[in-house]
Amino acid sequence: MDVLSDMALDYTLRTVALGSAALGIVSGALGAFAVLRRQALLGDAMSHAALPGVALAFLITGSRAPLVLMIGAALTGWLAAVAIAGIIRASRVKTDTAMALMLSVFFGAGLVVLTFIQRRPAAGKAGLDKFLFGQAAAMLESDVITMASVGAVGLLGVLVLWKEFKLLSFDPDFAATLGVPTRRLDLLLTSLLVIAIVVGLKTVGVVLMSAMVVAPGAAARQWTNRLGVMVTLSALFGAAAGVLGALISTTAQTSTGPTIVLVATGLVVVSLLVAPARGLVWTRMHAWRSQRILALEAVMSDLAALAAQHSSDATRPHDIAALHAVRGRALVDRALSELAADGLAQRHDAGGWSLTPRGLAEADRLARLRRTPSADL
Amino acid sequence: MRLRTGNALAVQATDLTLAYQQRPVLWDVDLEVPRGVLMAIVGPNGAGKTTLLRTLLGLLRPAAGEVLVFGRSYLEQRGLVAYVPQRGSVDWDFPTTALDVVTMGTYGSLGWVKRPGASERSRATAALEQVGMQDYADRQISQLSGGQQQRVFLARALVQDAEIYLMDEPFQGVDATTERAIVDLLRALRTAGKTVVAVHHDLQTVAEYFDQVTLLNVRRIAAGPVDEVFTEENLRLTYGGRVAGIGGRANATPLDMLA
Amino acid sequence: MTSAQIDVLLVAVVVAAACAIPGTFLVLRRMAMMSDAISHTVLLGIVLAFFVVADLNSPVLILGAALVGLLTVVLVEMVSRTGLVREDTAIGLVFPALFSIAVILISSLAGNVHLDSDVVLLGEIAFAPFNRFAPFGVDLGPIALWVMGAILVVNLAGASLFFKELKLATFDPALAAALGFSPALVHYGLMAVVSVTAVGAFDAVGSILVVALMIGPPAAAYLLTDRLPRMLGLSVVIGAASAVGGYWLARLLDASIAGSMATVVGIAFILVLFLAPQRGLVATARRRRRQRWTFARQMLLIHLATHEGTPTEADESRPDHMQRHMRWPPEFANRVVHTATERGLIDLENDQLRLTAAGREAARQAALR
């Protein structure tokens, strides 16, 4: 309640929350495509490569206006992406190497330019070093408007070319046979990813912005099997991580970028664990349950086989030492006690186990089920 | 753009030559596919079968040669050609459903920006039915078996309502049901006067499933009706000495040799 | 040159050499981005170890960093093994998270210690000479030189002792496993070396330059040779040269030394990319142009051979057919026909190109290739 009333009152908090929401929506929605297109690490390379662009834009224009710096960042980030693609196409250097190389070289060049800025007498260096780790608290209303407008361009691009981007991401060769200009479309989608990155530079910083591109998409993928839902969820997760992280960092006085990234990572962890159908908790539980049922069925069929060897009395007790030896003591004992609880097996006073008449019937039914050819896949 | 069929050959490729870094993959390959036939492209690994298909589709640029579709260039007639890629060529964990993938086959006729509507979806549903997959329309594609995924790809090509279907190893790793379904589909396409060119690797079934065959090993070794062309001699030429070593009976048919 | 400058250069060369060795294997194993991930996350190891020993100069810090480097690898594998996200996404999730924890922990220490995440990322090699190793009051040079020298020796020894295992596990992991060399052990061993090298180096040059020095020189060397020992040697040489060049560039521009070194690594790579004798873009373009003629001549011969004795031969063998079907411009086609005739491979009679015996043989050879 306190936070809410604070938000309504506090200009800084409101600005921070709005800006972080805008950045989260944009990077989440566009990042979803990056995750699907295996460009998670390209985002990392591009965000590091934005540093020289920011520095150069400031050095040349002397302006710290967010739009100017964003354009500079986008240019070098985009250039790095093009260089990576060019190196891969023109030489035998592989994708991972090209990315790591361009990432570090562009970042290094950025450092060189930063030292020029620091040397200038009237240096407004302050503000630029915030681009490393971001600072939400320094956000102004004009920043928010710029971020939202630039981001809206990116979102609009995805919305208009939705069908084409979906096809390109899923099956580019098929797209080409339909007459879609895949090379140009690919470049366009990569350029939109640059937008997603530069929008968050001031808040999250160049070093960690890649996580904001990857994490919401990776989390959203776990909850749905539809691209539309995934992109929407990814935008929401991005916004949630942005707002929550920015508010925590502003109130707890921690660095904004790392805080937002940790909130986003938390969303991913929760999604990986509990998302319905895909979540590890459910799949593990499902695997465990089917393993248990298999064990029950195996022990039942073993007992039925023993009973069949002594056709005179199907329910006479059998020594289960052989079962223990073959299937393991713990598994057999647990299965037997569950079967006994269900009235399918019985322990005889003289020692030894057998199926009950009902258990025999059930084992027979299962055996027949196994013999019928299962539905064709 | 009006698409024409006319009386020309469905597919006519002449002198296709393609090299990766000066290593020839296709050398002066001609291909004539009459309308309404089912043609298999057969050859050993690395023979350029997939490359030939991708060249026909304009996905690769040949160093020489040209591809005509019903007598006009492929680029003009693209709308007449449907493509069924190899199943392994896409990421099946992509968040989409079987119906959605099939609907992608309508994107070509939709044009830019416009979204698929009810009519596109009903066409896609009909195509799914045609391959016996209507019950799986809303399944996420990774939850389908290999054969079912292959049938989804076939349905996507069907929905394109093309005249020519180019398929890359449609029988690769599918179950018996799917294999039957694909064979039925191929025959239905032939009955409807459509043309199919498929890369095929199972020599045992070539004669049963296809009318014509092109034997390829970088160069075209032979092409024509299966019963004329699919001979021991031609297979030996295509596969080098390897095939001959397996069988060895004097008048063995190709199928016996490989058994 | 002052002795401080010599010290800086020495440290830079040793760092470059120490980075190039594990970097070569990262590049060959297509794990270059792990250097980026690890060089970020080792910071967490340093911070955590610092909480334990409260001493920035303790060797425990290096141990902590190495452990967190390995933890990074393990976490990435764990996340990607769930099958819920792909490996690149897993890397993109794990390292920013660990790095974020480190940055937040450091800022909570703010002011108390000289440990600053900016410095970790950017490095300041210019300070290296002032931190001396002087046991019992005897000045033995900068500490950074001793630390990196030790790491270089370890890397060199490791690479030569386990050369066979590394090579096998890199090029044929299945065979390595079959022969009893655990590829997993080699993998984790390499990652431990990457972590230790990264932590040793970043104090001097910053983590981003660690990436540049680990990946750039091996990437350039990869374009220069096919042999692993030579690639290792070239990587060391290119790395050291870039470090020295970067130092002088920094002096010239009066700019960040680490940044200049990374820039020079990039320039060195681009030079190699264009000028490498065999695989360089210039050499490739020149070779392509030369081979275009050979290739065209072969195409002509094979085309004629294919249609020799077929009903369409008369049509397929007309000189103007070549222009049409091979999409050759007329003068190009004429020149191909001309050179082929000159070499006695074909004859022109009655507007028909015919293979000579030599031409037939050449076509057969070309088709067999």
Side-chain angles (χ1 to χ4, degrees):
Chain A
M1 220 30 234
D2 272 359
V3 177
L4 280 180
S5 56
D6 277 356
M7 263 174 74
L9 297 171
D10 189 324
Y11 167 82
T12 314
L13 278 184
R14 202 178 55 216
T15 314
V16 165
L18 277 176
S20 312
L23 122 83
I25 288 171
V26 176
S27 62
L30 292 165
F33 280 96
V35 169
L36 290 174
R37 280 161 32 94
R38 298 163 196 243
Q39 290 183 332
L41 294 174
L42 182 65
D44 185 39
M46 280 169 20
S47 68
H48 279 81
L51 184 65
V54 174
L56 275 174
F58 176 71
L59 194 67
I60 293 170
T61 65
S63 152
R64 242 179 296 152
L67 189 62
V68 172
L69 301 185
M70 271 187 207
I71 290 174
L75 280 180
T76 50
W78 188 82
L79 199 65
V82 171
I84 289 166
I87 289 174
I88 298 166
R89 190 164 324 136
S91 78
R92 62 171 181 164
V93 170
K94 308 295 185 298
T95 313
D96 61 315
T97 301
M99 288 194 300
L101 179 68
M102 285 301 115
L103 173 155
S104 53
V105 169
F106 272 74
F107 194 83
L111 291 186
V112 171
V113 183
L114 272 183
T115 43
F116 290 156
I117 293 173
Q118 283 165 350
R119 271 210 319 274
R120 292 188 3 162
K125 170 206 163 198
L128 278 179
D129 55 349
K130 296 296 177 230
F131 273 93
L132 284 181
F133 295 114
Q135 192 183 43
M139 220 182 317
L140 303 173
E141 205 171 85
S142 61
D143 296 345
V144 176
I145 293 171
T146 312
M147 285 163 70
S149 322
V150 171
V153 172
L155 291 183
L156 195 70
V158 169
L159 222 55
V160 169
L161 292 175
W162 176 262
K163 166 172 109 279
E164 284 74 15
F165 285 150
K166 174 155 98 179
L167 190 57
L168 178 78
S169 306
F170 175 62
D171 194 347
D173 277 352
F174 183 75
T177 68
L178 294 184
V180 174
T182 45
R183 283 266 292 272
R184 264 176 288 164
L185 214 56
D186 185 276
L187 191 65
L188 182 62
L189 191 48
T190 306
S191 310
L192 292 182
L193 184 60
V194 175
I195 289 186
I197 286 167
V198 300
V199 159
L201 283 183
K202 195 172 176 189
T203 319
V204 181
V206 295
V207 179
L208 290 165
M209 194 50 213
S210 67
M212 276 309 282
V213 172
V214 178
R221 175 66 190 92
Q222 313 311 323
W223 298 86
T224 174
N225 284 322
R226 304 287 175 113
L227 181 64
V229 183
M230 175 180 166
V231 172
T232 315
L233 263 183
S234 185
L236 288 176
F237 284 164
V243 172
L244 218 63
L247 290 181
I248 292 173
S249 90
T250 318
T251 44
Q253 302 285 309
T254 54
S255 312
T256 314
T259 314
I260 292 181
V261 167
L262 284 180
V263 175
T265 309
L267 285 175
V268 176
V269 172
V270 170
S271 304
L272 290 179
L273 289 178
V274 304
R278 283 171 73 102
L280 288 179
V281 171
W282 310 124
T283 48
R284 286 287 147 83
M285 205 139 76
H286 184 77
W288 179 75
R289 196 177 295 153
S290 54
Q291 229 166 30
R292 208 192 53 179
I293 290 171
L294 276 181
L296 285 184
E297 290 185 7
V299 169
M300 270 172 79
S301 98
D302 288 346
L303 285 173
L306 286 173
Q309 285 168 14
H310 309 275
S311 49
S312 54
D313 176 10
T315 54
R316 79 168 243 193
H318 304 284
D319 185 12
I320 53 167
L323 264 68
H324 276 155
V326 174
R327 301 205 182 268
R329 180 177 285 273
L331 180 147
V332 171
D333 287 347
R334 195 171 48 225
L336 284 174
S337 69
E338 281 189 43
L339 288 171
D342 291 346
L344 295 171
Q346 56 192 338
R347 188 194 180 113
H348 294 258
D349 298 334
W353 285 78
S354 77
L355 292 175
T356 62
R358 202 154 66 77
L360 280 167
E362 180 65 16
D364 192 42
R365 192 182 67 81
L366 285 173
R368 240 173 305 169
L369 213 62
R370 289 264 175 280
R371 271 199 302 276
T372 17
S374 54
D376 201 305
L377 295 175
Chain B
M1 179 174 56
R2 286 204 33 235
L3 304 172
R4 295 214 201 121
T5 52
N7 297 322
L9 287 167
V11 179
Q12 182 177 30
T14 37
D15 308 336
L16 286 184
T17 298
L18 194 129
Y20 290 132
Q21 329 223 311
Q22 277 74 46
R23 202 176 61 81
V25 185
L26 295 175
W27 256 130
D28 212 37
V29 172
D30 292 344
L31 185 73
E32 293 103 25
V33 190
R35 184 174 193 169
V37 307
L38 308 179
M39 176 183 275
I41 299 176
V42 171
N45 287 337
K49 300 179 300 255
T50 297
T51 305
L52 174 59
L53 211 61
R54 292 172 64 82
T55 310
L56 296 179
L57 286 159
L59 294 173
L60 296 171
R61 258 183 70 86
E66 61 178 347
V67 178
L68 297 180
V69 170
F70 289 112
R72 301 207 306 190
S73 88
Y74 166 77
L75 288 183
E76 282 176 72
Q77 304 264 61
R78 179 146 45 200
L80 295 173
V81 183
Y83 173 42
V84 182
Q86 269 183 37
R87 193 154 45 82
S89 64
V90 302
D91 168 23
W92 289 96
D93 198 38
F94 196 84
T96 187
T97 61
L99 182 66
D100 204 32
V101 172
V102 177
T103 311
M104 289 178 190
T106 66
Y107 287 7
S109 55
L110 268 177
W112 287 89
V113 180
K114 215 177 142 206
R115 300 286 173 88
S119 89
E120 279 76 20
R121 265 193 298 281
S122 76
R123 273 167 60 201
T125 311
L128 270 178
E129 247 165 66
Q130 215 175 330
V131 297
M133 288 285 295
Q134 64 276 21
D135 296 340
Y136 299 90
D138 287 329
R139 279 279 180 96
Q140 203 273 325
I141 51 176
S142 69
Q143 294 161 8
L144 302 173
S145 72
Q148 291 170 335
Q149 291 174 344
Q150 188 66 54
R151 281 189 271 165
V152 168
F153 264 3
L154 284 165
R156 183 176 67 174
L158 286 177
V159 95
Q160 288 181 264
D161 197 22
E163 287 299 317
I164 300 164
Y165 293 81
L166 300 182
M167 307 182 180
D168 200 347
E169 304 248 18
F171 293 101
Q172 171 91 54
V174 301
D175 53 273
T177 317
T178 301
E179 181 139 355
R180 275 195 304 279
I182 300 176
V183 172
D184 291 345
L185 184 71
L186 292 183
R187 295 192 174 138
L189 287 171
R190 177 173 55 193
T191 311
K194 313 285 188 184
T195 311
V196 176
V197 179
V199 172
H200 194 62
H201 67 287
D202 181 12
L203 296 181
Q204 316 255 7
T205 50
V206 169
E208 191 188 339
Y209 295 168
F210 294 94
D211 314 323
Q212 297 215 354
V213 63
T214 292
L215 293 169
L216 186 75
N217 191 351
V218 183
R219 304 176 66 187
R220 183 174 78 171
I221 308 298
V226 172
D227 44 359
E228 289 170 26
V229 171
F230 202 59
T231 63
E232 186 184 342
E233 172 62 18
N234 279 338
L235 279 173
R236 187 178 301 122
L237 283 171
T238 312
Y239 285 82
R242 276 176 288 158
V243 174
I246 301 173
R249 268 183 289 142
N251 56 353
T253 68
L255 300 187
D256 292 336
M257 282 189 332
L258 293 165
Chain C
M1 263 201 297
T2 66
S3 78
Q5 286 173 354
I6 294 173
D7 282 345
V8 169
L9 273 175
L10 270 176
V11 171
V13 168
V14 171
V15 167
C19 285
I21 294 167
T24 298
F25 292 100
L26 286 180
V27 166
L28 288 174
R29 295 162 73 94
R30 305 188 180 193
M31 293 167 49
M33 285 304 276
M34 282 309 288
S35 69
D36 180 41
I38 288 179
S39 68
H40 282 92
T41 56
V42 286
L43 180 62
L44 180 62
I46 292 178
V47 179
L48 292 178
F50 177 77
F51 277 129
V52 177
V53 296
D55 173 12
L56 264 184
N57 294 314
S58 163
V60 175
L61 266 55
I62 291 191
L63 186 70
L67 286 179
V68 173
L70 287 180
L71 176 73
T72 313
V73 181
V74 172
L75 279 178
V76 167
E77 273 168 19
M78 255 175 64
V79 173
S80 60
R81 204 172 297 153
T82 62
L84 297 176
V85 297
R86 272 190 298 265
E87 198 189 359
D88 65 322
T89 308
I91 298 176
L93 287 171
V94 167
F95 91 80
L98 296 183
F99 187 68
S100 296
I101 297 174
V103 172
I104 288 176
L105 285 178
I106 288 178
S107 59
S108 76
L109 295 171
N112 297 336
V113 279
H114 169 70
L115 187 59
D116 189 340
S117 31
D118 292 18
V119 172
V120 169
L121 271 185
L122 316 180
E124 203 35 278
I125 199 169
F127 296 151
F130 305 115
N131 211 346
R132 311 297 289 187
F133 182 50
F136 316 113
V138 188
D139 183 10
L140 294 176
I143 287 185
L145 190 59
W146 283 93
V147 172
M148 282 318 295
I151 290 174
L152 173 62
V153 168
V154 168
N155 289 0
L156 272 176
S160 38
L161 275 179
F162 300 107
F163 184 74
K164 178 174 83 245
E165 286 79 3
L166 276 166
K167 188 173 169 181
L168 200 58
T170 299
F171 293 108
D172 194 346
L175 179 62
L179 294 179
F181 305 120
S182 160
L185 202 64
V186 172
H187 175 68
Y188 284 110
L190 177 62
M191 288 304 151
V193 168
V194 169
S195 309
V196 170
T197 309
V199 69
F202 84 43
D203 194 32
V205 296
S207 63
I208 301 295
L209 181 57
V210 170
V211 178
L213 287 177
M214 274 196 186
I215 304 307
Y222 186 55
L223 296 176
L224 289 169
T225 177
D226 280 329
R227 295 193 37 239
L228 181 54
R230 196 169 292 167
M231 183 173 162
L232 278 164
L234 278 172
S235 301
V236 170
V237 171
I238 294 171
S242 305
V244 174
Y247 178 73
W248 289 110
L249 180 70
R251 301 256 308 168
L252 194 73
L253 300 176
D254 189 16
S256 149
I257 298 175
S260 302
M261 286 179 180
T263 310
V264 172
V265 167
I267 294 170
F269 175 80
I270 288 169
L271 282 179
V272 171
L273 178 67
F274 278 91
L275 301 177
Q278 290 293 315
R279 294 179 206 285
L281 297 185
V282 174
T284 313
R286 200 178 284 164
R287 193 168 53 234
R288 284 241 170 90
R289 204 159 4 144
R290 210 171 40 236
Q291 286 181 343
R292 192 162 154 239
W293 292 104
T294 323
F295 188 67
R297 204 158 48 235
Q298 286 176 348
M299 267 166 66
L300 173 66
L301 295 179
I302 287 186
H303 179 77
L304 293 175
T306 307
H307 295 282
E308 204 167 43
T310 64
T312 54
E313 184 182 1
D315 191 40
E316 297 281 353
S317 310
R318 283 206 322 278
D320 61 338
H321 173 90
M322 307 308 150
Q323 296 170 24
R324 208 153 32 82
H325 277 282
M326 310 214 184
R327 295 206 222 111
W328 289 346
E331 46 306 2
F332 184 85
N334 287 339
R335 206 169 140 193
V336 173
V337 169
H338 181 73
T339 56
T341 320
E342 237 175 19
R343 293 174 185 222
L345 299 169
I346 53 169
D347 288 326
L348 179 63
E349 44 186 79
N350 306 330
D351 200 30
Q352 296 277 300
L353 299 172
R354 299 217 181 278
L355 288 171
T356 63
R360 210 163 288 127
E361 177 55 23
R364 210 179 61 80
Q365 292 290 340
L368 282 179
R369 220 161 48 121

